[in-house]
Amino acid sequence: MRRVFIFTALAMVAFASNSLLCRQALRHTAIDAATFTFVRIVSGMVCLAIIVWLRKGSLRNSGSWLSALALFAYAALFSFAYLQLSAGTGALLLFAAVQATMISWAIRDGERMRLPQIGGIALALAGLVALVFPGLSAPPFGAAVLMLTAGVAWGAYSIRGKSGGDPLRATAGNFLRATPLALLLSLTIARSANWDGAGVIYAILSGAIASGVGYAIWYTALPGLKATGAATVQLSVPVLAAIGGILFLGEPLTLRFVLASIAVLGGILLVILERRAAVS
């Protein structure tokens, strides 16, 4: 249980860092969404391939095209959606879709949620809404659809990762298979591509560290989590991203943020503890 907790915490920190890097690059540099997606995926693939090689492993027959498609869909749709969405609106749409996808799959797979788990999920979701929703205007419909679809893709990618064999090899293989898809996307807008230097650096950090290593750690933790627990724990990412904004971007600490953080993290803890009690 301790090992699962540590790996889950590290993965959530990586995902939160990825969110900060993506927001910074796509909203404050000139890099275009397709180029960012391509550099992000290639960087993740190279990083993971090196790790697999150092472990004397092979990428042959690793990953799957369905998982690679889900990975690519998430990364691309996320980038294009953030061209129009505010950070808060995007986070709310993304994680609501991830939550709905994974919980729906768990129920379809026969998993029963006990009352405390339902309460924990409701508490965590309420905290997330309280954190990002007040003051937001209605998002552009097209961008909202893109972000919701990105969340469904991320949820599907996480679910498929539970049966992908060696998580490191599978993740590396998925990044490798997603690379030509990202290249094809980049080539379609080659005339309007913008290889902004700062944006490329953010994309490399996002792909190699926050995405590649982050997914490898996440897949290591997933077998120890039920689908409902995995869905709920991901709600901590917007909170962690907000903490990163406070520490590194100078954003203010508010009472609303403190209360929302307590609700989200408290709900996650309730789900995890209830699962542990049910297993024992």
Side-chain angles (χ1 to χ4, degrees), residues 166-220:
D166 180 354
L168 185 61
R169 289 186 65 253
T171 306
N174 290 331
F175 269 82
L176 178 62
R177 293 169 188 259
T179 296
L181 300 177
L183 176 60
L184 181 61
L185 173 65
S186 187
L187 289 176
T188 61
I189 55 93
R191 292 185 178 180
S192 59
N194 193 340
W195 291 78
D196 178 88
V200 168
I201 292 175
Y202 287 131
I204 291 173
L205 292 174
S206 173
I209 306 301
S211 293
V213 176
Y215 275 117
I217 296 173
W218 177 232
Y219 277 150
T220 302

Side-chain angles (χ1 to χ4, degrees), residues 57-264:
S58 171
L59 295 184
R60 180 176 298 179
N61 298 324
S62 62
S64 71
W65 282 108
L66 282 178
S67 292
L69 181 61
L71 170 64
F72 166 72
Y74 155 71
L77 294 171
F78 179 88
S79 298
F80 280 97
Y82 259 123
L83 292 175
Q84 290 184 284
L85 293 177
S86 68
T89 301
L92 178 60
L93 293 170
L94 178 68
F95 286 95
V98 173
Q99 175 90 335
T101 300
M102 298 189 73
I103 291 178
S104 297
W105 183 266
I107 294 174
R108 173 190 176 280
D109 208 32
E111 181 175 324
R112 294 185 177 182
M113 290 188 295
R114 301 169 68 176
L115 186 59
Q117 286 180 301
I118 296 175
I121 292 173
L123 179 62
L125 185 58
L128 178 61
V129 172
L131 178 63
V132 301
F133 185 75
L136 298 179
S137 58
F141 178 76
V145 171
L146 289 178
M147 188 59 85
L148 287 170
T149 308
V152 172
W154 188 357
Y157 186 58
S158 297
I159 291 169
R160 287 185 57 82
K162 299 193 71 172
S163 58
D166 180 354
L168 185 61
R169 289 186 65 253
T171 306
N174 290 331
F175 269 82
L176 178 62
R177 293 169 188 259
T179 296
L181 300 177
L183 176 60
L184 181 61
L185 173 65
S186 187
L187 289 176
T188 61
I189 55 93
R191 292 185 178 180
S192 59
N194 193 340
W195 291 78
D196 178 88
V200 168
I201 292 175
Y202 287 131
I204 291 173
L205 292 174
S206 173
I209 306 301
S211 293
V213 176
Y215 275 117
I217 296 173
W218 177 232
Y219 277 150
T220 302
L222 268 178
L225 297 171
K226 281 189 176 181
T228 48
T232 305
V233 77
Q234 291 185 56
L235 293 176
S236 67
V237 174
V239 176
L240 294 173
I243 293 174
I246 292 170
L247 294 178
F248 304 112
L249 303 179
E251 298 177 356
L253 176 64
T254 65
L255 178 61
R256 176 179 294 156
F257 167 71
V258 173
L259 294 178
S261 298
I262 293 173
V264 171

